[in-house]
Amino acid sequence: MDSVLPIARTQLLFKNPKLGEFRIPRFQFPAAAVQTVSVRRARMVVVSAAQTAAEKPRKRYPGEKKGFVEEMRFVAMKLHTKDQAKEGEKSSDGPPVAKWEPSVEGYLQFLVDSKVVYDTLERIVDKSAFPEYAEFKNTGLERSERLAKDLEWFKQQGRDIPDPSSPGLTYARYLEELSEKDPQAFVCHFYNTYFAHSAGGRMIGRKVSEKILDGKELEFYKWDDDLSQLLQNVRDKLNKVAEGWSREEKDHCLEETEKSFKFSGDILRLILS
C-alpha cells in the first residue's frame, strides 16, 4: 500500500492542470548593480576609443624623419623654379641666370644690401635676445667681414660704393623686429639666408663674375674651413634647437619661408638693375 500512494498522487497532479503548473522564478538584479555594469561598459568603450586613437599613426611631415632642417629644406625647394631645382614648383618670373645681363653697378648694390642683411643677422645672433640664438655664434658661415673685404677691393678699383637701398634696409628692419618677438620665424630666415648663399648663391656669383669681373672669385664666396662640414655643424644645431619646439611652432617656422624668399629675391634682383 505504501508503494501505491505516491503513484496516485502523481496521477492527481497530471489530472489537475493548476496543480501541474511549474514556474521558474526570475532573479532580479538590484538597480545599483545594473548601473555599475553600465558604467563599466561605458568606460570600456571610452578606453577602447582612446587606445584606437593612440594606435593611429600621426601624420608625418616631409623630411621629418631626418630632422627639422630637412623639413625646412623641403619647403624651401618647393619655392624654387624648375630651372633652379628639380623639386621646384614656382613659375619663373624672369630669365634663367645663364641669360642674365648684370652690371657692375647693380652687382655692387647687391653686395652692399647683402652686407646690411648679414650685419643684422650676425648682430642679432651675437646679442642673443633668445637663448637659442647663441647656438649660431661663430659657425664659420658668417659673411659680413668677407663682404667688407670685397667692397674695399671694388673701391680700390676706382668704383664708388653706393649706400644701402630699400630692399636691404627693409629686410634688415624686418629681421630686427622679428628677432625680438618670434624666434621660430627668425630661425627660418637665418637658415634660408646662409644655406641659400652656400648653394644657389655660389652658382650665381660664379656666373656673374664670369660676365663682368673676368672670373674673379670674391671673398663672399670663400670659407676658411670645409663648407660641407660647416653646414653639417649648423644643421645639427638647428635640429637641436627645434627639438624643444612644439609641432605648432615648427609649422610657424616653415610658414615664414615664403617671406624669406621674397625679401632675398628683392635683393637678388638688384644685380640686374
Side-chain angles (χ1 to χ4, degrees):
M1 290 296 293
D2 290 339
S3 61
V4 175
L5 183 58
I7 295 175
R9 285 177 180 173
T10 302
Q11 290 175 342
L12 183 62
L13 286 172
F14 281 106
K15 288 180 180 179
N16 190 335
K18 290 183 180 180
L19 293 175
E21 288 181 359
F22 179 72
R23 295 183 180 180
I24 301 174
R26 294 183 179 179
F27 180 77
Q28 299 291 331
F29 287 95
V34 174
Q35 288 180 340
T36 302
V37 172
S38 300
V39 170
R40 285 177 180 170
R41 286 179 178 174
R43 285 176 180 169
M44 289 173 64
V45 171
V46 171
V47 170
S48 177
Q51 288 175 339
T52 302
E55 291 167 1
K56 186 179 179 181
R58 180 177 66 81
K59 174 189 173 183
R60 284 285 184 182
Y61 288 73
E64 186 178 0
K65 287 185 177 180
K66 295 184 179 180
F68 186 62
V69 171
E70 186 65 15
E71 291 187 53
M72 287 197 285
R73 190 198 71 81
F74 182 86
V75 173
M77 296 309 291
K78 293 291 183 183
L79 294 175
H80 284 72
T81 59
K82 284 293 185 183
D83 64 297
Q84 292 172 330
K86 62 181 181 180
E87 301 102 320
E89 295 182 352
K90 288 286 185 179
S91 57
S92 178
D93 57 355
V97 176
K99 295 184 178 181
W100 281 12
E101 293 299 333
S103 66
V104 175
E105 291 76 19
Y107 192 46
L108 262 174
Q109 190 66 67
F110 161 74
L111 294 174
V112 167
D113 281 38
S114 293
K115 186 174 185 300
V116 171
V117 172
Y118 283 102
D119 285 347
T120 303
L121 285 167
E122 287 156 29
R123 184 171 59 252
I124 290 169
V125 166
D126 188 60
K127 186 173 61 174
S128 296
F130 287 88
E132 49 260 62
Y133 297 169
E135 292 285 339
F136 309 115
K137 290 182 180 181
N138 303 316
T139 62
L141 297 182
E142 292 80 14
R143 297 291 88 195
S144 185
E145 290 185 8
R146 298 277 180 170
L147 281 164
K149 291 179 179 180
D150 287 331
L151 293 174
E152 181 59 30
W153 179 82
F154 276 101
K155 189 175 181 179
Q156 291 172 0
Q157 305 305 306
R159 296 285 180 178
D160 292 329
I161 308 302
D163 293 328
S165 63
S166 178
L169 293 172
T170 300
Y171 194 13
R173 186 164 51 249
Y174 180 75
L175 289 171
E176 288 278 12
E177 295 172 355
L178 201 65
S179 67
E180 296 290 337
K181 61 183 180 181
D182 197 337
Q184 285 77 32
F186 173 76
V187 167
C188 175
H189 288 268
F190 176 91
Y191 163 78
N192 281 292
T193 300
Y194 285 101
F195 277 67
H197 176 66
S198 69
R202 283 195 298 163
M203 182 269 291
I204 291 171
R206 185 172 61 254
K207 293 291 186 183
V208 171
S209 179
E210 289 171 358
K211 291 197 171 187
I212 63 175
L213 299 178
D214 295 325
K216 175 180 173 57
E217 184 181 16
L218 297 181
E219 293 295 316
F220 191 27
Y221 306 99
K222 297 177 183 179
W223 288 263
D224 288 334
D225 298 311
D226 178 64
L227 179 57
S228 61
Q229 186 58 55
L230 293 175
L231 292 170
Q232 186 57 52
N233 292 342
V234 176
R235 283 190 194 95
D236 293 341
K237 290 175 182 292
L238 286 163
N239 283 330
K240 178 183 174 183
V241 166
E243 285 177 0
W245 293 350
S246 65
R247 185 66 250 178
E248 290 74 18
E249 288 171 328
K250 289 179 180 179
D251 290 344
H252 177 61
C253 176
L254 298 177
E255 289 164 1
E256 192 71 14
T257 307
E258 196 154 2
K259 286 185 181 178
S260 173
F261 269 60
K262 180 187 180 303
F263 282 117
S264 60
D266 290 343
I267 294 174
L268 188 61
R269 280 188 283 274
L270 291 171
I271 296 176
L272 302 177
S273 62

